[in-house]
Amino acid sequence: MTAPPGAPALGPARQIDWALTRGRDRALDDAIAALVAPGERVLDLGCGTGDLLLRLRMEKGIHERGIERDGDAVAEAIARGLAVVEGELGEWIGDLPAGSYDLVVLNQVLPLMEDPVAVIEGALRVGRRVAVSYPNFAHWRIRLTLGLCGRLPVNPALPYEWYNTPNIRLVTVNDFRRLCAQRRWRLVREAFVAPGAVGTAAPVRALPNLRASLALAVLERGD
Amino acid sequence: MSTRRTPPAAEPPGGGHEALAPSYPPDSVGLVATRLLTLGADRPLRLESGAVLAPVTVAYETYGELSAAGDNAVLVCHALSGSAHAAGYHGTGADEKPGWWELMVGPGKAIDTTRWFVICSNFLGSCYGTTGPTSVDPATGRRWGINFPLFTIRDMVELQRLLLDELGIARLLAVVGGSMGGMQALQWAISHPDRVAGVIPIATAGGMSAQGIAFNEVGRRAIMGDPLWRGGEYPESDPPAHGLALARMVGHITYLSEEAMHRKFGRRRLADEPGSSFGREFEVEDYLRAQGDKFVRRFDANTYLYLTRAMDSFDLVADHGSLQNAFAGCTSSFLVVSFRSDWLFPPSQSQAIVQALKRSGHDVAYANLESDQGHDAFLLPGNRLGDLLPGFLARLHERGPR
């Protein structure tokens, strides 16, 4: 099997090509933008070059803040006039004042987290609402690849080989729902998409754990 | 009249001789002159130490035009050995060097002089036109020398404020500076929150580190240990050149990084110097000696003592109890920048500033830029500093006064 187009050649494994996930990372922006009211305070944890924040500032006049650990992406975001800080997001939310944001976004960064539960707990402390998006590892195509070919997926939602993936956690829609129940996070809204024609994402309404490649969950603190 | 404005320095040559006019790069502000402003005895500068300076002269340059609304002024603060000459050229000679931040300041550049009105003032105590140890003490008619009163970063900011008052600039869009200039930028946000929309401290710290003080002390010892220093009472024509050059050599090492030094010099030897004596043998030695010698020709030894002391005494934690307290009353937006290979002002010190700002809920952006050039990176091409500034400045301007 040939490498997907744009895949990094074999080389230093730590050099992660974030361009590969750009399409995936923007697939749920419409759904996230729909959660934001004009003038709100939005914290994007793992904001990359700030595409979402820039859009929200232009469309909704938000007060934006982004945290990102990739230095080049941070420089890009600041160059675009965004208030973005270079740092490890788990450490960063630690001492932000409670309730200081209307919405905290964790867009496709959950699989990269050493301790995703702590990050979400931190986000729920800092924000009134938390939007979490993630690739669904139970998508039927992945099940098929693994079941029939015995191979891990390399697709637009998970565009890396096992040896160069930045993802250290894999999650499914059912797993995430189960975690929310266990931790008593209120799951107030969900949205699911599957890749449609080139560059688009089609909404998925039925059987998301089987049919969605990307999921968005909106959480509120349960207690 | 309270204030006496000294006319601009003599017009540079070239006026009226169109055919001879030199051509500067199109992205340079071109021919500029340093101006002097003298505040009269009724506008004294009260120092933190209690000493009073009057009259006080400040050297400055400006580039671009102040907008009708007065909302586009950017104050650029220079570092330890810099001057008011931040951009453009003072003369027409072939070997004429542009200002120290020509890289950043000019038409279409990161600090775009077609858009922003840029002011750079030589800070208090420096020896490039502003009142300091090399100035004449009006009480004695002789150079102040070592009798000049001690001053601080806060005093430098105070003199800059007086200058802006005189220039009619009520509010700055931004204050930007690296190293010691970054300390001034931080102090601006603290001393005059209502007059600064944005602050850009680069490769700096909320307080000088023990390591930084240590290096400065070595420099001061080199100067004061030079017999020609004569207790600070040396004549202008016979300064403690050896000690000052040594101080600069030590300082210069701290401005570079191990990587940058290795890349520039490696272990290369000078071709004509056999390795058998304690003369010059390696290229890096030659380079440092040249840096030291060059510095002696343009800088004053006592001034070096005062400036490094002012830098060492900068300590926002001691002044306010904590960095967070220090920034508590600030209303400016911050863009903090550090460089990964800077070991004189390591990124951890910028991160401490960012963390304190974050805890107090301030608007802050921070980038730790990739560079192997060490502390001096903010003066050099090859990193992304120039990309960051336009976005930040434009955002401040769009948002307008808050």
Side-chain angles (χ1 to χ4, degrees):
Chain A
M1 187 183 159
T2 54
L10 279 178
R14 294 313 302 159
Q15 201 58 47
I16 291 159
D17 181 6
W18 296 109
L20 292 181
T21 57
R22 201 154 286 157
R24 175 199 79 183
D25 295 348
R26 303 278 66 84
L28 287 159
D29 280 5
D30 287 344
I32 296 171
L35 302 170
V36 178
E40 284 195 326
R41 298 158 301 168
V42 178
L43 173 65
D44 190 348
L45 298 172
C47 64
T49 56
D51 289 338
L52 176 64
L53 289 174
L54 195 64
R55 169 179 171 173
L56 293 177
R57 202 171 76 194
M58 290 197 296
E59 291 179 3
K60 310 260 178 145
I62 61 156
H63 298 283
E64 88 286 358
R65 165 88 52 244
I67 313 298
E68 169 60 43
R69 69 178 172 194
D70 180 79
D72 270 342
V74 170
E76 191 66 39
I78 294 174
R80 299 165 93 178
L82 295 166
V84 169
V85 167
E86 182 169 341
E88 291 294 329
L89 57 92
E91 293 165 22
W92 236 82
I93 49 176
D95 47 11
L96 281 174
S100 48
Y101 288 91
D102 296 301
L103 178 70
V104 179
V105 178
L106 285 159
N107 187 26
Q108 305 296 346
V109 293
L110 218 50
L112 316 179
M113 298 290 101
E114 187 76 37
D115 189 347
V117 172
V119 169
I120 294 174
E121 291 281 2
L124 280 166
R125 186 185 66 78
V126 167
R128 247 178 347 106
R129 285 162 296 148
V130 176
V132 183
S133 72
Y134 55 91
N136 172 30
F137 203 74
H139 185 258
W140 66 269
R141 242 184 233 284
I142 295 177
R143 298 189 197 197
L144 218 59
T145 315
L146 195 56
L148 294 182
C149 311
R151 298 200 45 194
L152 286 167
V154 179
N155 60 43
L158 291 160
Y160 301 99
E161 296 281 357
W162 66 272
Y163 50 81
N164 67 9
T165 179
N167 301 316
I168 58 171
R169 308 276 177 208
L170 297 169
V171 58
T172 72
V173 171
N174 285 353
D175 285 329
F176 191 78
R177 285 173 169 172
R178 192 159 159 264
L179 177 67
C180 292
Q182 280 174 351
R183 307 296 304 189
R184 297 177 190 280
W185 299 331
R186 279 177 53 212
L187 187 52
V188 297
R189 191 185 299 183
E190 287 181 295
F192 304 98
V193 295
V198 179
T200 68
V204 170
R205 290 194 177 82
L207 300 174
N209 197 43
L210 189 64
R211 298 176 56 229
S213 58
L214 301 175
L216 171 71
V218 184
L219 306 179
E220 287 178 6
R221 181 166 276 290
D223 42 43
Chain B
M1 192 56 220
S2 67
T3 307
R4 173 160 58 87
R5 272 176 210 267
T6 312
E11 280 303 314
H17 298 276
E18 304 295 326
L20 296 175
S23 60
Y24 297 106
D27 60 354
S28 174
V29 295
L31 214 48
V32 295
T34 301
R35 292 161 193 258
L36 297 175
L37 174 81
T38 299
L39 299 163
D42 55 340
R43 296 292 306 277
L45 176 65
R46 291 177 198 287
L47 304 182
E48 264 196 89
S49 67
V52 176
L53 287 173
V56 180
T57 297
V58 52
Y60 70 99
E61 294 189 5
T62 67
Y63 324 108
E65 300 283 335
L66 185 64
S67 66
D71 62 354
N72 69 335
V74 175
L75 177 68
V76 169
C77 302
H78 65 79
L80 181 75
S81 65
S83 70
H85 184 35
Y89 296 79
H90 276 175
T92 57
D95 57 348
E96 181 73 23
K97 290 235 172 18
W100 59 270
W101 229 12
E102 179 74 358
L103 178 70
M104 288 288 167
V105 181
K109 290 183 182 172
I111 302 176
D112 186 348
T113 50
T114 63
R115 199 158 176 206
W116 316 122
F117 177 61
V118 178
I119 309 131
C120 180
S121 75
N122 182 218
F123 57 62
L124 176 67
S126 178
C127 52
Y128 291 106
T130 301
T131 300
T134 58
S135 317
V136 171
D137 175 359
T140 65
R142 293 185 309 144
R143 278 165 38 119
W144 281 97
I146 203 70
N147 298 312
F148 197 75
L150 281 173
F151 55 89
T152 63
I153 302 286
R154 227 194 290 183
D155 296 329
M156 296 173 183
V157 166
E158 198 50 21
L159 182 59
Q160 288 169 339
R161 182 190 68 82
L162 290 172
L163 169 67
L164 295 186
D165 285 351
E166 290 300 318
L167 295 177
I169 296 164
R171 189 174 156 85
L172 292 164
L173 181 70
V175 181
V176 52
S179 195
M180 195 179 192
M183 292 175 168
Q184 291 161 27
L186 290 172
Q187 190 61 54
W188 258 101
I190 293 165
S191 293
H192 303 290
D194 50 329
R195 292 187 69 162
V196 197
V199 179
I200 312 175
I202 303 166
T204 193
M208 197 68 180
S209 68
Q211 178 181 270
I213 295 170
F215 281 118
N216 280 343
E217 173 62 5
V218 172
R220 284 189 294 265
R221 284 289 123 198
I223 290 168
M224 296 164 84
D226 186 331
L228 294 184
W229 183 61
R230 305 176 181 101
E233 304 282 350
Y234 55 87
E236 201 175 346
S237 56
D238 189 23
H242 181 74
L244 181 59
L246 202 51
R248 181 59 168 183
M249 286 168 76
V250 172
H252 205 87
I253 293 168
T254 69
Y255 306 151
L256 305 177
S257 71
E258 186 188 0
E259 265 176 292
M261 272 189 147
H262 179 75
R263 180 166 41 77
K264 271 174 108 159
F265 310 108
R267 286 186 48 86
R268 281 192 305 279
R269 285 160 200 266
L270 296 168
D272 53 342
E273 300 286 331
S276 58
S277 70
F278 291 105
R280 299 172 316 139
E281 185 180 345
F282 292 97
E283 280 187 16
V284 64
E285 291 176 332
D286 201 41
Y287 171 79
L288 281 180
R289 288 185 194 195
Q291 290 295 328
D293 293 345
K294 215 162 70 181
F295 192 60
V296 166
R297 288 195 290 275
R298 70 177 177 94
F299 214 81
D300 169 59
N302 282 336
T303 300
Y304 195 90
L305 301 180
Y306 277 88
L307 296 187
T308 53
R309 189 47 104 197
M311 205 171 181
D312 290 355
S313 65
F314 185 65
D315 186 352
L316 294 179
V317 173
D319 289 353
H320 301 270
S322 70
L323 276 182
Q324 206 179 327
N325 286 350
F327 299 128
C330 296
T331 54
S332 316
S333 294
F334 290 78
L335 168 59
V336 181
V337 182
S338 61
F339 297 95
R340 288 183 200 277
S341 57
D342 184 348
W343 59 288
L344 184 59
F345 287 87
S348 58
Q349 292 184 307
S350 287
Q351 284 154 13
I353 292 169
V354 172
Q355 192 176 44
L357 289 167
K358 169 186 72 167
R359 285 182 178 156
S360 333
H362 290 295
D363 182 40
V364 56
Y366 166 63
N368 186 20
L369 295 180
E370 203 56 66
S371 166
D372 74 351
Q373 296 158 322
H375 182 60
D376 262 357
F378 73 95
L379 297 169
L380 302 169
N383 60 71
R384 300 197 65 180
L385 180 60
D387 296 338
L388 306 189
L389 303 182
F392 184 75
L393 292 174
R395 174 170 177 257
L396 291 171
H397 195 249
E398 272 164 34
R399 216 174 34 186
R402 286 188 302 169

